[in-house]
Amino acid sequence: MQNIINPNPEYRIVEIFETLQGEGYNTGMPSIFIRFGKCNLACPWCDTNYNQFETKTLNEIMAVVRGFSARNIIITGGEPTIQPNIEILLDVLKSEGYFIAVETNGLKPVPKQIDYIATSPKRLYQKNYLKHHLDFAHEVRIVVDGDVLDFCEQIENTIKADRYYLSPCEQDGVMNMLDTITQLGKLNQRSNKPHWQLSIQTHKIAGIE
């Protein structure tokens, strides 16, 4: 019996909003964020309530997206790569000419419709990345939630990227900036290794979403 594809599937949506990209290589780019619910990890410092979401249909999502002016879509979460029927939504976005970026933890494959991959591997799950990981990303961002130097070297050797970033970890409104730039300096003292850069959540400093 042939499977019938639902042309209007439902998705777990935390929020959809338009703002400026706040971190990484594309900082400042006008973007529409589609934030999905649920995640396959559980980082204690995560700043997203990914278990608080609504169910929205494809048509409802597109109605919101079309109301914004930005042409850059960022699918994020939670973890977007675990979302059922994500390819159907991405096909519609591509058919309407959107540039699609993804923010992922890098443990699962990224759909083929994605134009730009930003991955943030998590040190707390270092052993998971010995078994499963992306082979390539346009940028890697690692949050400094402890001593991440060994983990950074592991990721350098397993995920080829155009750019590598360290990001401070924010807890209770405080960023561990000194620890972050100290470890950044140690990474960049090495010879013949990728150059790491600092990426901070500038949207929080600017007071935007």
Side-chain angles (χ1 to χ4, degrees), residues 14 25 34 54 68-69 72 128 151 153 160 191 198 206 209:
V14 175
Y25 181 71
I34 303 177
E54 298 179 314
F68 297 128
S69 60
N72 179 51
N128 297 47
F151 185 51
E153 292 191 350
K160 179 178 172 55
S191 299
L198 176 66
E209 192 169 9

Side-chain angles (χ1 to χ4, degrees), residues 4 7 33-34 56 75 81 88 95 114 146-147 150 158 161 177 188 200:
I4 299 176
F33 281 75
I34 303 177
K56 291 184 180 294
I75 62 167
T81 64
I88 298 175
S95 72
I114 298 298
D147 185 345
D150 288 345
T158 54
M177 190 64 70
N188 289 332
I200 60 176

Side-chain angles (χ1 to χ4, degrees), residues 102-107 117-121 134 137 139-142 159:
V102 66
E103 294 183 341
T104 173
N105 59 40
L107 286 172
I117 303 169
T119 184
S120 180
L134 297 177
E139 66 182 76
V140 166
R141 302 185 210 136
I142 292 181
I159 302 179

Side-chain angles (χ1 to χ4, degrees), residues 63-117:
V64 176
V65 167
R66 292 177 185 126
F68 297 128
S69 60
R71 302 301 299 171
N72 179 51
I73 300 284
I74 299 176
I75 62 167
T76 185
E79 176 51 45
T81 64
I82 66 171
Q83 305 303 319
N85 300 310
I86 187 70
E87 291 84 358
I88 298 175
L89 171 61
L90 297 179
D91 279 341
V92 174
L93 291 169
K94 292 298 289 184
S95 72
E96 298 195 13
Y98 288 98
F99 182 90
I100 307 176
V102 66
E103 294 183 341
T104 173
N105 59 40
L107 286 172
K108 291 186 173 294
V110 166
K112 59 180 174 55
Q113 298 94 334
I114 298 298
D115 299 299
Y116 190 91
I117 303 169

